[in-house]
Amino acid sequence: MNSNFKKDINDGLSSPIKTLSSKYFYDTAGDALFVKIMNLPEYYLTKAEFDIFKNQTQNIIKSLNIEPDTFFELVELGAGDGTKTKELLKVLISENYNFKYLPVDISNNALDKLKANLNTELPTLKVSKKQGDYFDVLDSLKASNHPKVVLFLGSNIGNMEDEQAKLFISKLSNSLNISDNVLLGVDLIKSKDIVLPAYNDKSGVTKAFNLNLLNRINNELDADFNIDAFSHQPEYTEKEGIARSFIVSNKEQEVRIGALDKVFKFKKDEKIHTEISRKYNDTILNTILENSQLKKVTKLLDSKSYFADYILIK
Ligand code: AVI
C-alpha cells in the first residue's frame, strides 16, 4: 500500500476544510473513466486541443526552435494515448526532422501501450519511453545537451493551484537549457454555460470519476464509504476562472477507515474539495511565468478560441 496515499487521505480528511488530492483519481478505474470523459460531448478541452494539433501543425513547427537537420528530443510529460501528439509526430516525420520522442509517465503500463501503438502506426519513429517522476527524467536528460521541446498538454497545469503551477514552471525552466522550448496546453477562461457542463456531464461519467476516489479509499485503505450517500458538486465562476469539484455528504454520517483505525465525521452538506481546474488568460499565464526564465513565443487557438497552446522558450 502506498504510505503517501494513506497519510494524504488522513491529513485531508482531518483538516477543518476537508480536501482530497485529484492526483489520486487515477487508479485503473479512474484512468478508464478519464478516457470516457475525453470522449464526452460536453468535455470540449480534448477536442479543442486536437483541433490545434491537427489544423495548425505547421504553425506549431514554425514557432519551435528546431531545424530539420539538428537532432532534438521531443519530451512529453504525461504520456496519455498520444492522439494529439501523433498529429505533430506525423508531420515531423514526413518533413524529415531528426528527432526522438520521449514520453514520460509514472505508469509503465501507459507507456508500454503508447509505444506499441506508435510502433504500429508510425514505424519509423524513434521512441524512448521514460518511466518516472517528470523532474527526475528531465534532470537525467539535461546532461545530454540536445535541444529539447517539452510538451505539457491537456490543461494538466490547470489541476495545480497557482502557487504550485509557478513552482512547477520554475522547476521545468531550471531543467532546460537556453533556447529549449515548452509547448503548454491550457484551457481558457470562458462562460459558465460552457465550462460547467464539461465537469457535470449528463451521463454522470464525471460524477463517477470524482466519487471513484471514495471507492479507492474503500479498496486500498479498508474504508466503509457508502458512495450513494455522497454527491458530486462542480462549481465555476468566470470572474475567478476556476472550476472546482467537490464531494458532498448527503447526510450526517460517520465513515471508518480501517487502515487508519479512525472514524471521520461528516455533517449534512459538508464538502470535500477534490479538484481545481484553473482556466487561463494571458495575464494569469504571465504571473505563472514571471519568476521563470520561460518567455512566450506564440499562442495558438482552436477554431472556437476555447483552448490555447502556448509555445515558450527559455
Ligand atoms: C486532467 N485534467 C486536465 C482534467 C481537467 O479538465 O481538469 C481532469 C478532469 N476532471 C474532471 N474532468 C476532467
Side-chain angles (χ1 to χ4, degrees):
M1 187 198 308
N2 179 338
S3 63
N4 274 345
F5 179 61
K6 186 168 147 181
K7 181 180 183 306
D8 290 350
I9 300 305
N10 186 26
D11 291 350
L13 293 181
S14 305
S15 115
I17 297 174
K18 294 186 171 66
T19 351
L20 294 170
S21 167
S22 62
K23 74 176 177 201
Y24 293 123
F25 282 162
Y26 302 92
D27 63 351
T28 312
D31 283 345
L33 286 164
F34 186 58
V35 171
K36 280 194 177 177
I37 288 178
M38 290 191 287
N39 291 311
L40 289 170
E42 295 96 334
Y43 197 74
Y44 59 83
L45 289 80
T46 314
K47 291 171 255 305
E49 193 170 37
F50 181 77
D51 174 12
I52 300 173
F53 272 71
K54 172 129 190 97
N55 298 314
Q56 297 199 61
T57 332
Q58 287 302 343
N59 287 337
I60 296 177
I61 294 173
K62 257 189 267 157
S63 311
L64 295 172
N65 188 29
I66 52 171
E67 308 213 10
D69 300 334
T70 313
F71 177 78
F72 71 94
E73 292 171 327
L74 181 66
V75 182
E76 179 160 13
L77 304 180
D81 65 358
T83 311
K84 293 170 275 194
T85 312
K86 266 188 256 173
E87 296 301 313
L88 175 63
L89 295 171
K90 274 192 261 174
V91 179
L92 290 171
I93 293 169
S94 74
E95 297 189 355
N96 290 316
Y97 277 87
N98 181 8
F99 73 105
K100 192 178 206 178
Y101 175 55
L102 299 102
V104 185
D105 208 284
I106 210 77
S107 153
N108 211 11
N109 187 28
L111 289 169
D112 282 340
K113 270 199 209 156
L114 177 64
K115 192 164 185 209
N117 174 282
L118 290 170
N119 283 346
T120 319
E121 288 195 25
L122 303 171
T124 61
L125 176 71
K126 289 182 222 140
V127 186
S128 174
K129 62 182 177 103
K130 300 279 171 194
Q131 193 266 328
D133 172 81
Y134 293 167
F135 293 108
D136 291 345
V137 173
L138 283 168
D139 285 344
S140 74
L141 293 175
K142 196 171 180 185
S144 79
N145 255 335
H146 295 301
K148 268 188 280 302
V149 175
V150 177
L151 309 179
F152 191 48
L153 307 180
S155 206
N156 282 324
I157 196 167
N159 296 130
M160 300 176 199
E161 299 283 350
D162 291 351
E163 281 311 310
Q164 281 175 288
K166 276 189 197 172
L167 201 67
F168 178 87
I169 288 290
S170 63
K171 274 174 85 177
L172 177 57
S173 164
N174 289 340
S175 69
L176 299 177
N177 294 312
I178 299 293
S179 302
D180 286 345
N181 285 122
V182 173
L183 208 167
L184 180 69
V186 297
D187 192 18
L188 297 174
I189 296 183
K190 64 186 80 61
S191 67
K192 195 170 180 167
D193 57 312
I194 300 164
V195 176
L196 208 48
Y199 295 91
N200 201 19
D201 59 287
K202 284 204 187 94
S203 46
V205 181
T206 311
K207 173 182 176 190
F209 180 65
N210 194 13
L211 292 173
N212 180 53
L213 202 43
L214 304 185
N215 275 324
R216 189 169 175 188
I217 302 173
N218 280 351
N219 296 336
E220 295 181 34
L221 299 180
D222 183 27
D224 61 3
F225 277 102
N226 170 11
I227 312 297
D228 295 335
F230 291 86
S231 310
H232 165 62
Q233 184 175 302
E235 296 176 7
Y236 174 75
T237 56
E238 189 176 347
K239 187 164 174 278
E240 203 191 9
I242 295 179
R244 289 187 189 277
S245 290
F246 298 89
I247 292 174
V248 181
S249 175
N250 297 340
K251 56 177 189 188
E252 190 175 319
Q253 55 186 316
E254 288 187 353
V255 174
R256 187 180 146 72
I257 301 187
L260 297 170
D261 196 15
K262 204 163 157 182
V263 170
F264 294 88
K265 290 185 174 19
F266 294 85
K267 297 190 200 83
K268 181 173 168 13
D269 299 327
E270 185 173 354
K271 292 174 170 182
I272 311 170
H273 181 219
T274 52
E275 186 178 44
I276 169 171
S277 296
R278 145 68 83 205
K279 310 302 167 196
Y280 276 80
N281 59 22
D282 287 340
T283 316
I284 294 159
L285 187 69
N286 288 344
T287 12
I288 301 296
L289 297 181
E290 116 197 311
N291 296 322
S292 77
Q293 287 171 275
L294 297 174
K295 303 268 168 297
K296 272 189 266 174
V297 177
T298 321
K299 176 187 185 183
L300 300 169
L301 297 171
D302 64 292
S303 60
K304 294 179 176 162
S305 298
Y306 281 0
F307 198 95
D309 278 299
Y310 284 95
I311 291 164
L312 315 172
I313 190 162
K314 173 156 170 175

